[in-house]
Amino acid sequence: MSWGTELWDQFDNLEKHTQWGIDTLEKCIKFVKERTEIELSYAKQLRNLSKKYQPKKNSKEEEEYKYTSCKAFISTLNEMNDYAGQHEVISENMASQIIVDLARYVQELKQERKSNFHDGRKAQQHIETCWKQLESSKRRFERDCKEADRAQQYFEKMDADINVTKADVEKARQQAQIRHQMAEDSKADYSSILQKFNHEQHEYYHTHIPNIFQKIQEMEERRIVRIGESMKTYAEVDRQVIPIIGKCLDGIVKAAESIDQKNDSQLVIEAYKSGFEPPGDIEFEDYTQPMKRTVSDNSLSNSRGEGKPDLKFGGKSKGKLWPFIKKNKLMSLLTSPHQPPPPPPASASPSAVPNGPQSPKQQKEPLSHRFNEFMTSKPKIHCFRSLKRGLSLKLGATPEDFSNLPPEQRRKKLQQKVDELSKEIQKEMDQRDAITKMKDVYLKNPQMGDPASLDHKLAEVSQNIEKLRLETQKFEAWLAEVEGRLPARSEQMRRQSGLYDSQNPPTVNNCAQDRESPDGSYTEEQSQESEVKVLATDFDDEFDDEEPLPAIGTCKALYTFEGQNEGTISVVEGETLYVIEEDKGDGWTRIRRNEDEEGYVPTSYVEVCLDKNAKDS
């Protein structure tokens, strides 16, 4: 099967067919090129999608991605990023292995096709030229034959005519001979040209055209084979990335299998655990108790026989902390206002000073009455830190010691801060060591630099280290305080110790009774406050044996103060009282009117005169 023998007369159709083949090849190139553009666009969209859902740095989202499900989602995003990279590889390989190669081949194919058809046209022109020569010699031979025939007829006519002279007959005979010779020459020329044409025509149809068409056929077959190879390459480019894409998909499956719901639940506990204990049972409020107060007006011991409720602390049965607290410490706990004192009034006799919404409406009540009311009611042990915390949250500021957080969360934040500071200290120490080594090198080789030029930098680094250490100590102190105040830790410490130092009494975790308010701060709820229930028989002996604090001076009331908060005492302008505890820096001074009445007043409301000897002792 050869185009040269089978399609010897289809030169024009072959020319059209080969042009169509080249167009088809260019169409394939265009298809692959558009596929590469789609792959690049798809990869770009996948990368943008992965980047869009990546957690923002230093944001709340980044903290939320500590859960295994979120980590698996991040792994999926990363795998999708790698997946997009493989589509970029597909695009690059198709561009380099198919588009570039085929584009170069198309140019070569066009050049080869042009050369082959140029040779074909050249052969056609040659055979057409030979055919024209043959036709020309044939017409000349025909014309000469006709001329010779007419000359012969004219000679015969002249020869038969008796009236024609002999000279005319001879002339006609010579003319006939000349014409006959010309016809013979034309015949010989025609015969020669005919033989030559036949030979050229045979060469054209049996040698030249078959060879040219064979080349065109081979060219077309190579084009077809090249298309097939390109299709294989097209498939292989995809197949080469399938294992890597499979690994990406396996990574997604592995990330999904790594999700641990129990671990996530534990992380939720660690993230939101406040460290508080649940509130205890609400105590029955006996409103008939005030009618029995007259019976227990004279002494605390008379009230014991009335049958008091059990002491409960933080919802536990029989709190074991109270028997070990000294009387003055307990009364300080019960009566200390735990609030910043009010400013002194503009006038000498203010009608009233706003001093909190939770103080009882009574004045100058004996200590025994106040204690009995404490035994039968629900006193609120306020936490000053919770008040500051709520104020800080309203102002939008975060306290440095994270006091706006529950104990457990505060401990975690403080521990994180301590770890960060430790890393910064280590970084500064490494820098200091590097500067020290450089200084030693300068000392050994002065030509390399001046050692004194590093002293300022070394001093600055040392100063930074000292600052960071002080900062670390501060946060470690807060951390130790929080760890000591956590209920579980404190209860464990109480069980282990069994005895408390009077100079370092345990801190009651008042904040543990706070509730979370809608604004996120932890404030007390009036209707759901945890109750402190005291069993008098557990610590009456401690009260009987404890001596009251000695007076360390006197004070004179400059303004009238209505002590409406728990732990405060009302004074009248000009009244003289005893000072039993001076201002500790919180703006409150502890005073006593008589043996039964004592409490706190704002330091700015009184003029204190301390007894030097008593203060020294």
Side-chain angles (χ1 to χ4, degrees):
M1 180 184 67
S2 172
W3 286 6
T5 57
E6 303 292 339
L7 302 175
W8 60 270
D9 58 344
Q10 300 297 321
F11 185 88
D12 295 336
N13 288 331
L14 287 180
E15 187 175 17
K16 293 177 181 179
H17 177 76
T18 52
Q19 181 61 43
W20 170 85
I22 292 176
D23 294 340
T24 302
L25 194 58
E26 290 178 339
K27 186 185 297 184
C28 293
I29 295 173
K30 186 177 180 181
F31 163 76
V32 177
K33 186 176 181 180
E34 291 183 3
R35 166 72 189 277
T36 59
E37 292 174 355
I38 291 174
E39 293 291 342
L40 283 177
S41 177
Y42 181 53
K44 184 179 180 181
Q45 292 178 9
L46 283 180
R47 288 190 184 277
N48 292 337
L49 182 65
S50 176
K51 183 179 179 180
K52 177 182 178 181
Y53 287 94
Q54 288 285 351
K56 306 295 187 298
K57 291 185 178 180
N58 301 323
S59 65
K60 186 178 180 181
E61 287 185 13
E62 194 172 18
E63 296 179 1
E64 294 174 352
Y65 279 87
K66 60 187 176 182
Y67 302 105
T68 56
S69 57
C70 294
K71 288 181 179 178
F73 180 65
I74 292 296
S75 299
T76 301
L77 294 180
N78 294 334
E79 294 295 345
M80 289 306 297
N81 199 40
D82 296 340
Y83 185 87
Q86 296 310 308
H87 284 278
E88 291 176 348
V89 171
I90 291 176
S91 176
E92 293 174 359
N93 290 342
M94 284 187 176
S96 60
Q97 299 179 21
I98 299 179
I99 296 177
V100 175
D101 195 26
L102 283 184
R104 183 172 55 250
Y105 178 71
V106 165
Q107 297 300 323
E108 295 175 357
L109 192 65
K110 288 181 177 180
Q111 190 65 31
E112 183 179 2
R113 174 181 176 277
K114 181 179 179 181
S115 175
N116 289 331
F117 281 98
H118 179 268
D119 293 341
R121 288 192 180 89
K122 188 177 180 180
Q124 277 186 337
Q125 291 175 359
H126 178 70
I127 197 67
E128 288 175 358
T129 302
C130 292
W131 172 257
K132 289 178 181 179
Q133 290 178 355
L134 177 62
E135 286 295 321
S136 177
S137 62
K138 181 179 177 181
R139 287 193 297 271
R140 187 172 58 254
F141 172 58
E142 182 181 7
R143 185 180 65 250
D144 290 345
C145 287
K146 290 179 179 181
E147 292 292 335
D149 187 46
R150 285 196 298 269
Q152 182 65 28
Q153 291 176 1
Y154 180 73
F155 167 68
E156 290 176 356
K157 181 180 179 181
M158 293 293 290
D159 188 44
D161 190 359
I162 58 175
N163 297 321
V164 178
T165 62
K166 188 176 181 180
D168 291 335
V169 172
E170 184 63 23
K171 183 178 179 181
R173 184 180 65 81
Q174 291 179 355
Q175 188 66 28
Q177 289 179 351
I178 293 172
R179 293 294 179 181
H180 183 72
Q181 185 62 39
M182 290 177 63
E184 289 295 330
D185 292 341
S186 297
K187 180 180 179 181
D189 185 49
Y190 170 68
S191 176
S192 175
I193 292 176
L194 179 60
Q195 291 179 359
K196 181 179 178 182
F197 174 78
N198 289 335
H199 175 72
E200 292 293 339
Q201 181 176 259
H202 184 274
E203 290 291 327
Y204 174 77
Y205 286 112
H206 294 85
T207 304
H208 298 308
I209 289 298
N211 290 339
I212 294 173
F213 282 11
Q214 186 65 30
K215 292 179 182 180
I216 295 174
Q217 181 181 355
E218 292 174 357
M219 177 193 71
E220 185 68 11
E221 290 175 354
R222 286 199 307 271
R223 179 191 66 81
I224 296 172
V225 170
R226 198 59 172 268
I227 290 179
E229 292 176 350
S230 299
M231 290 180 179
K232 289 181 180 179
T233 305
Y234 179 85
E236 287 298 325
V237 168
D238 265 341
R239 184 178 284 113
Q240 287 173 0
V241 300
I242 286 178
I244 303 177
I245 291 178
K247 290 182 179 179
C248 295
L249 299 178
D250 292 341
I252 295 175
V253 173
K254 185 177 179 181
E257 293 174 349
S258 68
I259 295 177
D260 186 356
Q261 66 275 13
K262 298 296 183 182
N263 184 61
D264 285 1
S265 299
Q266 182 62 32
L267 290 176
V268 173
I269 294 175
E270 295 176 0
Y272 300 110
K273 182 179 179 182
S274 65
F276 298 149
E277 293 184 359
D281 296 337
I282 298 177
E283 183 70 16
F284 174 76
E285 299 186 27
D286 190 359
Y287 291 101
T288 63
Q289 191 68 23
M291 296 187 296
K292 302 177 183 179
R293 285 185 181 175
T294 56
V295 181
S296 59
D297 248 358
N298 296 328
S299 65
L300 296 175
S301 60
N302 291 338
S303 62
R304 298 179 204 161
E306 298 297 330
K308 298 186 174 51
D310 293 342
L311 166 64
K312 293 186 180 181
F313 185 79
K316 302 292 182 181
S317 61
K318 271 202 173 183
K320 299 181 180 180
L321 175 62
W322 294 93
F324 304 103
I325 300 183
K326 299 301 181 180
K327 178 180 177 182
N328 293 328
K329 295 295 181 181
L330 177 59
M331 296 309 299
S332 173
L333 176 64
L334 297 178
T335 59
S336 178
H338 292 280
Q339 294 187 20
S347 62
S349 299
S351 59
V353 179
N355 204 20
Q358 298 163 341
S359 60
K361 302 294 183 177
Q362 59 183 5
Q363 291 183 350
K364 301 183 180 180
E365 187 178 12
L367 180 60
S368 61
H369 286 193
R370 299 193 63 185
F371 186 73
N372 285 333
E373 184 165 350
F374 166 75
M375 306 298 284
T376 59
S377 64
K378 300 190 302 179
K380 299 180 182 294
I381 303 176
H382 295 281
C383 181
F384 182 51
R385 179 174 289 114
S386 67
L387 300 178
K388 292 196 299 181
R389 181 189 309 136
L391 180 61
S392 298
L393 289 176
K394 288 178 181 179
L395 295 177
T398 302
E400 186 182 12
D401 60 350
F402 303 107
S403 60
N404 61 315
L405 300 176
E408 184 67 24
Q409 303 304 318
R410 185 186 179 203
R411 182 187 65 79
K412 289 175 62 178
K413 286 289 186 181
L414 290 173
Q415 184 63 52
Q416 182 180 355
K417 188 68 175 179
V418 169
D419 295 340
E420 291 176 359
L421 290 172
S422 299
K423 291 180 181 179
E424 292 181 10
I425 290 175
Q426 185 62 40
K427 184 178 179 181
E428 293 290 337
M429 291 178 66
D430 294 341
Q431 186 176 359
R432 182 184 63 183
D433 295 342
I435 295 174
T436 303
K437 291 180 180 179
M438 186 179 296
K439 185 176 181 181
D440 294 340
V441 172
Y442 286 177
L443 289 172
K444 294 178 181 179
N445 302 297
Q447 67 274 10
M448 296 184 67
D450 183 13
S453 62
L454 300 176
D455 292 340
H456 176 70
K457 184 65 175 177
L458 194 59
E460 182 180 350
V461 172
S462 300
Q463 186 178 4
N464 292 339
I465 293 175
E466 188 62 26
K467 289 181 180 179
L468 290 173
R469 283 177 176 170
L470 292 176
E471 191 80 5
T472 304
Q473 291 175 4
K474 179 174 65 174
F475 279 95
E476 286 177 346
W478 285 333
L479 181 61
E481 176 189 359
V482 172
E483 289 179 343
R485 287 188 178 185
L486 285 178
R489 301 172 187 267
S490 300
E491 189 66 26
Q492 185 177 4
M493 290 168 63
R494 294 189 190 103
R495 293 194 186 100
Q496 291 176 353
S497 63
L499 181 63
Y500 295 87
D501 190 352
S502 59
Q503 296 180 356
N504 296 292
T507 305
V508 179
N509 187 13
N510 302 328
C511 296
Q513 305 304 327
D514 295 347
R515 298 290 180 271
E516 186 171 4
S517 63
D519 62 352
S521 63
Y522 287 80
T523 57
E524 294 81 6
E525 287 185 10
Q526 193 169 7
S527 62
Q528 298 180 357
E529 187 68 33
S530 296
E531 303 164 351
V532 181
K533 305 172 185 178
V534 184
L535 181 61
T537 56
D538 286 346
F539 56 90
D540 272 348
D541 295 339
E542 199 68 33
F543 273 69
D544 294 339
D545 298 338
E546 184 67 26
E547 293 294 332
L549 290 176
I552 59 174
T554 60
C555 67
K556 181 180 180 181
L558 301 177
Y559 313 100
T560 297
F561 174 71
E562 294 181 4
Q564 296 179 354
N565 271 3
E566 296 173 4
T568 61
I569 185 173
S570 301
V571 295
V572 181
E573 180 182 355
E575 185 180 2
T576 302
L577 305 104
Y578 294 101
V579 178
I580 59 175
E581 186 178 321
E582 61 179 323
D583 189 353
K584 300 298 185 181
D586 56 357
W588 295 92
T589 300
R590 190 174 176 185
I591 64 173
R592 180 188 297 133
R593 176 177 288 109
N594 50 47
E595 293 183 357
D596 293 333
E597 285 190 272
E598 64 179 42
Y600 289 88
V601 295
T603 305
S604 58
Y605 275 60
V606 295
E607 181 181 0
V608 179
C609 181
L610 298 178
D611 184 356
K612 184 176 181 183
N613 295 331
K615 184 178 180 182
D616 294 340
S617 62

